[in-house]
Amino acid sequence: MLVGLLKGPSYFSPVRNPERSLLRRNTVIEQMQKYGFIQAAEANQAKSTKIALNYHVENQNTGIAPYFRTELSKFLLRWCKENGYNLYEDGLKIYTTIDSRMQRYAEEAVRENMQKQQKLFATYWKGRQPWTNENGSTIKGFLESQIKLTDRYKALKVRYEDDEDSINYYLRKKIPMKVFTWEAPGEKEVVMSPMDSLAYYKRFLNTGFMAMNPLDGHIKAWVGGNNYKYFKYDHVKQGRRQPGSTFKPVTYLAAIDNSYSPCYQVMDVPVTFPAEDGRSPYTPKNDDNVYSGRSFDLREALAFSKNTVTAHLVQKLTPAVIVKYAEKLGFSSKIEPVPAVGFGSSDVSLYELCGAYGTFVNSGKWTEPVYLTRIEDKNGNLLLNFIPKSRDVISEETAYLMVHLLKGGADIKGGTSYYGLRFRHKLKNEIGAKTGTTSNYSDAWFMAITPDLVCGAWVGGENRSIHFRSAAYGQGNKLALPEYGLFMQKVLSDKSISINTGPFPKPTAPLTVEIDCAKYNNLGGVPSDSVNQEEILNPEIQLDEGI
């Protein structure tokens, strides 16, 4: 059929002229028989076969990994301009790190999770507007202020200048349009005004998901949102939001790297930062507003995400030290050295978080997440060999201790990730994990590590004022964790994908600190400063094989 097209691509097109294309194809087959390339039986069988098409016009909105392809194109267009190539005409061969199988599973996991979460969100806010202030009241004039940020409003403003009546007329004029829906086929025809459309889309939860190999920085899956055609904004690298408790490991790293043991005990009691530089006194609360008064070792405290323990460490180490360690872990976003820094008060990207967590798995070496390996010309000559940036930032032992702490979230009964990973998604392999939820449940996060895969997920409204108002729906383990669970179920069931399920590799040298904290637990409420920290930190206290 393809050979037959050469005589007239449009005239013999199987799309435009299928009957004519079939006749032309059979003519080619007969010619092959005539000149002895095939036998009569083979020719007859081939001619009796129908032409089966899986044809679609190339479209930037469809196909695998559209958010990733957009990010890749930004670099490629810049590189081609600097090096004298035409991206679309010079036949360049571009090799990326994306694993098409993992990418497909990530897109499926996102779709399955978001369909469910969006249904819950719609039911939760049925009959009410989801954009609310801290008191739970609907924000007056929300849509009117948001419409002014759109291209449509700006175009109308240029056209009609100060004629607000004309602008408002067209903003409220109902017109036929297509809008996104989670129901098949993914879009529907409606009659809406631009204001109606804005209200419709503001009611959607958004998401981002990324998976990477921490050992070489290669990004394996990248899902920037619900649907690229209707949600162009990328929530992997472009979007930045407060990471909540997924930033706590940075604080714990600072502690571990400054001689705090995983067995260091901290009392679950309020910690107050005094007024400073015009700021009022600040007393972080636990998520449930309850203080148990008992001691937690660092591993247990991270597993239960105790804010009091994080506050204690930030106060001991100072916010400036936490910022320094964030910079070590590759965060390029501005991290403010404030008392709330340990709770993820500064906006960061999912891309940055994945790179940071990868440091713990990669024996203390931070490696920049990358999506491109090399570029060749049309003849296969190497034009660019992409080597990711990397640097040793913490010791192998410190990195392993952080992995040990993060595993607590999935392994300690009652940990923030324990039920979701081990029971809901039945993942039995070794996993280090951390959930994150910001104030008012505006942002739900989940980060997970395995020996050769780091994954991150974010779910939230387009605006921070759009969110659930209940922990039963809005926490990271309810909104974001399921994307990872669904993704890993699919990946682990695909035997063609080689994934290291554990255990995590041990350091080459014996550990210098104790990590079996059982004998330091249940201290009967002894204040943390009364615990014999010298004994806990004693390098001579070790288990067999240095663990």
Side-chain angles (χ1 to χ4, degrees), residues 173-470:
K173 182 180 179 181
K174 294 184 182 295
I175 55 176
M177 65 176 70
K178 288 184 178 180
V179 295
F180 171 77
T181 175
W182 280 116
E183 299 175 2
E187 60 184 12
K188 61 182 179 181
E189 295 184 357
V190 297
V191 177
M192 286 185 178
S193 70
M195 287 295 292
D196 295 335
S197 175
L198 179 66
Y200 177 80
Y201 282 112
K202 288 294 183 181
R203 290 177 175 273
F204 276 90
L205 291 172
N206 292 270
T207 189
F209 182 89
M210 175 176 153
M212 65 168 278
N213 185 330
L215 307 182
D216 56 17
H218 288 186
I219 296 172
K220 298 300 181 181
W222 179 313
V223 184
N226 294 333
N227 178 284
Y228 186 74
K229 180 178 180 179
Y230 291 98
F231 300 87
K232 288 290 194 288
Y233 193 82
D234 173 52
H235 291 286
V236 169
K237 192 175 183 182
Q238 185 180 8
R240 283 174 167 76
R241 297 287 279 262
Q242 290 180 332
S245 293
T246 57
F247 197 80
K248 284 180 179 176
V250 180
T251 299
Y252 280 70
L253 168 63
I256 293 295
D257 207 41
N258 282 274
S259 300
Y260 285 72
S261 163
C263 301
Y264 179 83
Q265 300 277 331
V266 181
M267 289 287 288
D268 181 21
V269 295
V271 176
T272 298
F273 293 84
E276 184 181 19
D277 296 332
R279 288 192 298 266
S280 302
Y282 172 53
T283 305
K285 299 178 181 179
N286 284 328
D287 179 61
D288 55 7
N289 292 325
V290 174
Y291 305 100
S292 66
R294 79 171 182 87
S295 294
F296 288 82
D297 62 58
L298 294 191
R299 187 170 191 256
E300 192 179 20
L302 188 61
F304 294 134
S305 203
K306 289 295 180 181
N307 290 342
T308 52
V309 177
T310 301
H312 173 89
L313 295 175
V314 172
Q315 196 172 69
K316 291 284 186 181
L317 296 164
T318 74
V321 170
I322 309 304
V323 172
K324 183 183 75 172
Y325 277 89
E327 292 171 349
K328 281 188 174 186
L329 292 177
F331 287 97
S332 58
S333 297
K334 176 66 175 178
I335 310 296
E336 297 291 341
V338 296
V341 64
F343 307 102
S345 57
S346 296
D347 291 355
V348 301
S349 69
L350 186 59
Y351 176 89
E352 291 173 305
L353 277 171
C354 287
Y357 275 68
T359 307
F360 307 141
V361 187
N362 196 21
S363 301
K365 176 180 287 187
W366 173 80
T367 302
E368 178 187 24
V370 294
Y371 44 74
L372 182 66
T373 59
R374 69 184 190 276
I375 301 175
E376 297 175 355
D377 66 16
K378 61 183 179 182
N379 298 315
N381 298 312
L382 183 65
L383 302 178
L384 175 68
N385 188 26
F386 200 89
I387 300 175
K389 300 175 184 176
S390 65
R391 57 179 181 269
D392 293 317
V393 295
I394 55 176
S395 69
E396 185 182 29
E397 175 175 287
T398 295
Y400 183 78
L401 294 179
M402 287 304 302
V403 169
H404 176 67
L405 262 60
L406 286 166
K407 284 171 58 183
D411 294 341
I412 296 177
K413 190 174 182 178
T416 57
S417 307
Y418 176 76
Y419 176 79
L421 293 177
R422 301 310 187 189
F423 290 91
R424 192 192 309 159
H425 295 286
K426 304 184 186 308
L427 299 176
K428 305 303 180 184
N429 58 297
E430 284 205 1
I431 304 172
K434 188 72 195 79
T435 59
T437 311
T438 58
S439 299
N440 298 323
Y441 312 105
S442 294
D443 302 276
W445 298 82
F446 183 71
M447 300 297 302
I449 58 173
T450 53
D452 59 4
L453 203 62
V454 171
C455 299
W458 169 85
V459 177
E462 182 176 333
N463 299 78
R464 298 173 203 255
S465 58
I466 300 172
H467 51 76
F468 282 109
R469 294 188 299 167
S470 166

Side-chain angles (χ1 to χ4, degrees), residues 256 260-265 297-300 397-408 412 504-507 509-521 535-547:
I256 293 295
Y260 285 72
S261 163
C263 301
Y264 179 83
Q265 300 277 331
D297 62 58
L298 294 191
R299 187 170 191 256
E300 192 179 20
E397 175 175 287
T398 295
Y400 183 78
L401 294 179
M402 287 304 302
V403 169
H404 176 67
L405 262 60
L406 286 166
K407 284 171 58 183
I412 296 177
F504 286 92
K506 299 174 182 178
L511 295 180
T512 62
V513 295
E514 174 68 84
I515 64 172
D516 181 1
C517 307
K519 58 184 172 181
Y520 300 111
N521 288 340
E535 180 182 353
I536 294 177
L537 296 173
N538 190 337
E540 296 180 359
I541 301 178
Q542 298 179 29
L543 294 179
D544 294 339
E545 299 182 4
I547 303 301

Side-chain angles (χ1 to χ4, degrees), residues 160-171:
Y160 295 106
E161 297 182 345
D162 296 327
D163 186 354
E164 292 295 328
D165 289 339
S166 295
I167 293 175
N168 288 329
Y169 170 79
Y170 285 104
L171 289 178

